[in-house]
Amino acid sequence: MSPTRRALLAALALPAPALAQGAWAPDRPARLVVPFAPGGSQDVLGRLFAQAIQAASGHQLVIENRAGAGGILGGEAVARSPADGLTLLLATAGQTTIPKAIGRRMPYDPEADLAPVMQLLDSPVALLAGPGIAAADAGALMALARAAPTTLPYASTGTGTNTHLIMEDLKARERLNVEHVPYRGAAAAFNDLLAGRIALMFVSVPSVLGFQGGALRVMATTGERRFPSLPAVPTLAEQAVPGFTASIWTGLSVRAGTPPAAIAFWREAFARALADAALRDRLDGLGVTPAPSNPAAFAAMMREDLARWARVVAPLAINLD
């Protein structure tokens, strides 16, 4: 996390007050658009939030899965919805910063058509190495990848995804001799990593919580600190690449023009949910960390995210249209 982002979060991510009485409140069930298919990690997170908010306030959030185009169809559904505070987007970089950085044609402008409510969650990614990689730690892995006589293939869960761009950022910074091999999801990539057809890859932390000690080695995570569920795994920054951090974030957005009172209502409702110990325990088990902010801090974080990925993709000539 950059000093700018850290300062903004420290200054702006204030404790959530009790929900204001007599202010704006939904008069019917609201929609929480999850821009991915049912059963995935974002869907699980959305349903946990919906349950927690209904239990705490009685207000119902109906989950609406709008998968497709890397989540862009879900973003479009919210960007084209009425600006009445009754349609929310469980936002990720896939509907906001990454496609804009790539220059992908989109049916909406994430900055002009969506309004930030808050960041909700943050999760580092984990660096995996296959059994054929003779490196004891991440420092040795970086040295091996720099000096490799032929390119080492690395996997991602798709061109233009977080796991692709984070590795490209690391490749440029450390001058790694690695080559991208995109997959549709992590399962096939794991199989090829085990079989030695792939040398390394970044994956979400929840994907690796169950196989510590197996043939696939978790070499590092990319947070500022070690992840609580993986205390024995050092960060990449502390081992080999000082200052290098990366994460997969989840936030909450609404249609631009939504009344400020409605934005404040949902910010308070989700912040109260994140303060609940039971929900925090569930989130910890899923490998994600609460990171509540407010609209200004979330907007600043996304601007920083956009600038980073624009820098990374500039030499890559990615075209997803």
Side-chain angles (χ1 to χ4, degrees), residues 150-213:
T150 58
T151 54
L152 296 176
Y154 79 87
S156 80
T157 53
T159 300
T161 61
N162 289 87
T163 55
H164 173 209
L165 299 187
I166 291 169
M167 185 68 83
E168 288 294 330
D169 196 7
L170 182 64
K171 172 184 176 179
R173 173 169 170 161
E174 295 298 301
R175 296 181 172 83
L176 305 181
N177 190 15
V178 296
E179 182 178 7
H180 182 220
V181 181
Y183 286 76
R184 290 188 175 182
F190 284 156
N191 290 336
D192 280 1
L193 192 62
L194 275 170
R197 290 185 285 270
I198 294 296
L200 63 159
M201 64 184 295
F202 277 119
V203 296
S204 65
V205 163
S207 301
V208 304
L209 293 179
F211 58 69
Q212 275 289 84

Side-chain angles (χ1 to χ4, degrees), residues 232-293:
V233 179
T235 67
L236 192 57
E238 72 179 279
Q239 287 186 90
V241 191
F244 188 91
T245 61
S247 65
I248 296 174
W249 56 262
T250 300
L252 190 69
S253 296
V254 292
R255 167 74 184 270
T258 295
I263 291 175
F265 175 91
W266 290 118
R267 190 262 163 184
E268 292 174 9
F270 276 79
R272 288 184 67 190
L274 282 171
D276 180 74
L279 179 60
R280 293 175 78 95
D281 286 344
R282 294 289 303 277
L283 296 174
D284 183 60
L286 293 171
V288 294
T289 302
S293 66

Side-chain angles (χ1 to χ4, degrees), residues 16 61 65 69 101 112 140 142 146 168 179 190 199 221 228 246 256 266 299 309 317:
L61 273 178
N65 296 95
M142 294 298 101
R146 278 191 293 269
E168 288 294 330
E179 182 178 7
F190 284 156
T221 56
W266 290 118
W309 301 135

Side-chain angles (χ1 to χ4, degrees), residues 38 44 87 110 123:
V44 170
T87 303
S123 179

Side-chain angles (χ1 to χ4, degrees), residues 34 36-45 47 63 65:
V34 177
F36 300 101
S41 59
Q42 292 296 314
D43 179 60
V44 170
L45 293 171
R47 292 177 191 279
I63 300 297
N65 296 95

